[in-house]
Amino acid sequence: MIFATGNHQKLKEFESILGIKLNHSDLDLDEIQSVDVEEVARHKAKQAYDILKEPVIVEDTGLYFEELNGLPGALVKFFVKKLTLEQMCSLIGENRRAAAITCIAFFDGKEVKIFKGETKGEIAKEPRGTNGFGWDPIFIPEGYSQTFAEISSEEKEYKFMRKEAIKKLKSNIDKLD
């Protein structure tokens, strides 16, 4: 199976948690416009399979603001490109609850299998921290006072939503070949 990603840090994280070396391909995949990370991941998996003609894994992560009825969700990367993180923080009033959801999709040409992980938390009043990327400076995971960007990369990598989704994939990997 091939992991379709251009993100080498993500590739290392997957290999470390899975305990195996993955073949990978840096594909330029279309990203459908949807708030739902599962819908985006399903589409990307099918598209990657159509290109590679081999079983594939893809991953997508979204950030869901409760006060905005789930926006931006899977569209968060586009929000981050168009708005500053300060602007994103100011979109929210009193209800700062949010969830970060990672969805891994495996497609073998016949069936898409989905593995999800979720971390609940809240949106900071202002961006904080320099670790990570994207929206990490504005998300505070439940049980923490620091944002993802203030937590060490190692701690972030081995906890939270992506690890949960990868562990679900790992427990099913023998059934996927």
Side-chain angles (χ1 to χ4, degrees):
M1 91 182 75
I2 297 174
F3 183 26
T5 184
N7 184 325
H8 291 280
Q9 187 61 37
K10 202 177 283 186
L11 175 64
K12 280 190 208 174
E13 187 175 342
F14 268 69
E15 289 178 336
S16 174
I17 295 167
L18 291 174
I20 60 172
K21 184 94 172 122
L22 291 171
N23 294 321
H24 78 282
S25 181
D26 183 1
L27 297 178
D28 187 21
L29 300 173
D30 295 330
E31 187 150 331
I32 60 170
Q33 301 304 294
S34 174
V35 173
D36 183 355
V37 288
E38 183 174 331
E39 186 178 352
V40 171
R42 280 180 185 280
H43 180 269
K44 285 169 46 175
K46 289 177 179 179
Q47 186 182 24
Y49 182 88
D50 287 346
I51 294 166
L52 298 169
K53 307 292 188 226
E54 292 187 50
V56 293
I57 301 169
V58 299
E59 180 268 355
D60 201 73
T61 298
L63 184 62
Y64 295 80
F65 295 8
E66 191 172 287
E67 185 161 292
L68 299 180
N69 296 319
L71 282 174
L75 299 171
V76 69
K77 63 190 91 184
F78 301 107
F79 274 58
V80 170
K81 285 180 184 176
K82 295 291 183 182
L83 301 172
T84 66
L85 293 175
E86 290 82 5
Q87 288 171 319
M88 287 183 67
C89 289
S90 71
L91 290 172
I92 305 169
E94 292 299 312
N95 181 358
R96 304 198 74 77
R97 288 190 298 263
I101 300 174
T102 292
C103 183
I104 298 169
F106 169 82
F107 185 53
D108 62 3
K110 297 179 194 119
E111 181 182 2
V112 177
K113 293 199 165 86
I114 299 294
F115 308 95
K116 281 187 180 179
E118 179 175 351
T119 298
K120 294 186 182 301
E122 64 182 48
I123 302 302
K125 293 191 178 183
E126 60 187 29
R128 302 189 322 248
T130 57
N131 293 328
F133 58 93
W135 46 266
D136 285 355
I138 68 169
F139 184 72
I140 303 168
E142 207 169 70
Y144 285 75
S145 58
Q146 307 103 324
T147 65
F148 269 174
E150 294 173 307
I151 296 170
S152 75
S153 298
E154 294 76 25
E155 183 173 5
K156 184 181 164 225
E157 193 171 297
Y158 292 101
K159 281 190 172 183
F160 309 115
M161 69 283 176
R162 187 171 292 122
K163 181 177 183 189
E164 182 183 337
I166 296 170
K167 284 175 75 175
K168 288 176 182 175
L169 170 66
K170 183 178 183 173
S171 70
N172 285 279
I173 208 148
D174 292 335
K175 301 172 201 163
L176 300 178
D177 291 331

